[in-house]
Amino acid sequence: MANCLLNKSIVKSCDYNVAGIHRLYIANYDRKHTYTQDTNGYITDITLAGSGKFYEVEFVEETGYFQDDLVVSNGNRHRNITLQVVVPEHTVEALEQVTPLDLGKFVVVMVDKADKCSLLGRVNGLQAATNNYNSGTATGDSNGWTLQLTGVQPEHHLLLESEDVVDKANKVTP
């Protein structure tokens, strides 16, 4: 019951508010991954099980968004996490990742444009809801793979202390 009682004020900081996703790291989900939180609730360490790695996914600027929604159904409450980006690559290397993205389950670190890092899918992972390629019609049209990952979680997303947590957790960059 202690988690159901409001115990702090929520105040607006005196900062610029910049929306959008800046960077994205995806690792294969494994319930054996471990996460260390400090007393303030920030994730300070991630240990990926086995030979797990975070893979950086580059995407088209201003095409990504993340949403963490409360869902109430039949008296039950849970969080529905949604992450969407457009990946522009149409190469053999990118095509080799389509099936793993379609069928896999993932844990994601999303870095927003204010450099706040969110951990998504920690408990149940995220899975592809869509992964569609669009060539566009006109010269300036958006094109690429629209990848949407979703997942039902028993908790809201968590914040990382910094992006360094991903670096320490075995990050692979393009």
Side-chain angles (χ1 to χ4, degrees):
M1 186 67 161
N3 287 340
C4 298
L5 301 174
L6 188 64
N7 63 8
K8 291 183 183 172
S9 296
I10 300 171
V11 295
K12 184 178 178 337
S13 64
C14 186
D15 295 323
Y16 290 107
N17 186 12
V18 181
I21 299 174
H22 190 54
R23 283 180 298 286
L24 190 64
Y25 304 99
I26 298 177
N28 293 303
Y29 173 82
D30 189 324
R31 70 175 187 265
K32 295 178 185 171
H33 295 334
T34 60
Y35 307 89
T36 304
Q37 282 183 281
D38 66 14
T39 56
N40 294 317
Y42 288 97
I43 300 287
T44 58
D45 187 62
I46 299 173
T47 303
L48 299 176
S51 60
K53 293 176 176 41
F54 273 107
Y55 297 95
E56 186 172 355
V57 176
E58 294 181 343
F59 55 93
V60 177
E61 182 75 17
E62 297 187 356
T63 65
Y65 76 88
F66 148 70
Q67 201 165 313
D68 182 343
D69 296 313
L70 171 66
V71 177
V72 180
S73 176
N74 297 319
N76 296 310
R77 295 170 185 268
H78 62 270
R79 305 299 300 189
N80 191 44
I81 306 295
T82 303
L83 171 79
Q84 182 170 305
V85 293
V86 175
V87 180
E89 294 308 305
H90 197 218
T91 63
V92 170
E93 293 80 13
L95 289 171
E96 289 172 348
Q97 300 308 310
V98 171
T99 298
L101 285 169
D102 288 350
L103 303 178
K105 189 182 266 194
F106 309 99
V107 62
V108 175
V109 171
M110 182 271 308
V111 183
D112 69 18
K113 290 187 178 175
D115 283 327
K116 291 182 181 164
C117 304
S118 298
L119 178 66
L120 317 176
R122 179 178 80 100
V123 177
N124 295 324
L126 302 178
Q127 293 179 290
T130 60
N131 190 11
N132 306 314
Y133 185 77
N134 178 3
S135 67
T137 304
T139 302
D141 284 355
S142 175
N143 62 77
W145 294 92
T146 299
L147 173 63
Q148 185 181 76
L149 299 175
T150 63
V152 174
Q153 303 294 318
E155 64 183 14
H156 56 77
H157 68 282
L158 300 173
L159 294 176
L160 274 64
E161 180 181 54
S162 72
E163 196 170 349
D164 292 339
V165 174
V166 178
D167 292 332
K168 292 186 295 185
N170 210 3
K171 176 180 78 173
V172 175
T173 53

